Amino acid sequence: MGSDLTVSTDPAEVGFDPARLGRIDRRLARWVDDGQLPGFLVTVARHGKLVHVGRQGFRDVENGLPVEEDTRWRIYSMTKPVTSVAAMMLYEEGAFELGDPIAKWLPEFAEPRVYVAGSSQRPVTVPATEPIRVKHLLTHTSGLTYGFHHQHPVDAMYRAMGHEWGSPPGADTAEVCRQWASVPLLFQPGSEWNYGVSTDVLGRLIEVVSGQPLDEFFEQRIFAPLGMRSTSFGLREGEDVESLARLYAAVPGRPGGAPTAFAPMDAMGAAAHSKPAFLSGGGGLVSTAADYLRFVELLRRGGSYDGGRLLGPRTIAYMTRNHLPGNADIDTFGRPVFAETPLRGVGFGFGFSMVIDPAKYGVLANVGDYTWGGAASTAFYVDPVEDITVSFYTQLLPSSTLPIRNYLRALVNQALVD
């Protein structure tokens, strides 16, 4: 796959009906035309051949700057699969076992307490009966959470420390981990699923185990080999801020107007204009569609790329299987946090969710289709059954504003005729 987004394959050659592929852009464009989405870029590939690139609207509505193929996007939680791949590269080298307590490298997590009752001001806690293990970070079963959930007294403790949609000014990765370790866990490690800062802690673990800052590890071990030249923690020095799409947040529509509209979030968006102190393995990267497509294609190919291999195919297969006990879905095993897509019929592996029951999921999809998305409504998925990769980019918070990810699966799958 090349470094750009040039479609060089007739979709019919790989089983797509070109006319039906056109439905993808038409449906997405309706959100742009209705004033609900600033702009978008979408890619569809099969058997490693790019068959569709659609883009419409603006990366900066107010200044009339269109979405370009080389537009940079804050991919937020689409950073998590990169961090998970990095961790499993170290695992393949024998750096740790999946059952190892993380306190071996991060001693601040040596004696976690678990919330059982009380308020955020006066929590009642008990000692953890099980240490937080590496596998708990990879599967979001650690008991760590996010401040932005607004679901639990522990979330409020995170917010009180400055952890909601950002982190305390000047605090580096080591410091934010120490802060999280000082707060009770939501539950006993391994007993439930909850989306939280687990992958950020995993990023810190990678730093300690490898002896490298996370940005250097990513650059040397993942981005340079894959040719991902435009992916980094925030913009690099000297890079054009105008190349980065403006960040927007949904606002309630006025009576008689569009159901939702959006407004710039420039203060929050400016965090990506330079390299931050806290290298967030859970959400800190900016990237382009072409760059991230190289990473997604690495996954589809079982860890190999044109010049070599980052992971073994069995490792990728292990990462993308359901690791929730008893093959449970997130809806059953997890906490009721916000999510754009249904969590029924969806399991979780190492950095990815995957469809385990398409009928229960309620979306046209295949068993084993694995995915993740970002807070600003970006998303990707890999369908191993059909050998497809799909990626989508925009900059609209929160990701639950529009049901983009469900529509994408239906629109792509309806275009498959062979």
Side-chain angles (χ1 to χ4, degrees), residues 181-257:
S182 72
V183 176
L185 300 175
L186 214 56
F187 48 74
Q188 293 288 350
S191 66
E192 295 183 47
W193 185 92
N194 184 70
Y195 196 42
V197 297
S198 291
T199 318
D200 291 301
V201 177
L202 186 67
R204 178 59 186 154
L205 187 76
I206 290 165
E207 291 187 330
V208 176
V209 170
S210 70
Q212 284 186 291
L214 195 59
D215 58 339
E216 287 182 18
F217 188 95
F218 280 5
E219 181 60 38
Q220 293 173 20
R221 301 290 304 274
I222 298 174
F223 300 156
L226 292 181
M228 295 171 65
R229 299 182 187 89
S230 300
T231 305
S232 54
F233 283 101
L235 295 176
R236 301 182 187 96
E237 201 169 330
E239 288 184 326
D240 181 10
V241 170
E242 282 196 349
S243 70
L244 181 67
R246 197 169 195 171
L247 185 64
Y248 293 91
V251 294
R254 295 179 181 85

Side-chain angles (χ1 to χ4, degrees), residues 272-292:
H273 290 176
S274 59
K275 179 178 157 182
F278 164 40
L279 302 177
S280 168
L285 292 176
V286 298
S287 190
T288 62
D291 264 22
Y292 204 81

Side-chain angles (χ1 to χ4, degrees), residues 14-16 44-51 386-388 416 418:
V14 292
F16 276 106
V44 182
R46 193 179 199 196
H47 310 319
K49 298 181 188 304
L50 190 61
V51 296
E386 300 291 358
D387 201 28
I388 284 172
L416 274 173
D418 187 22

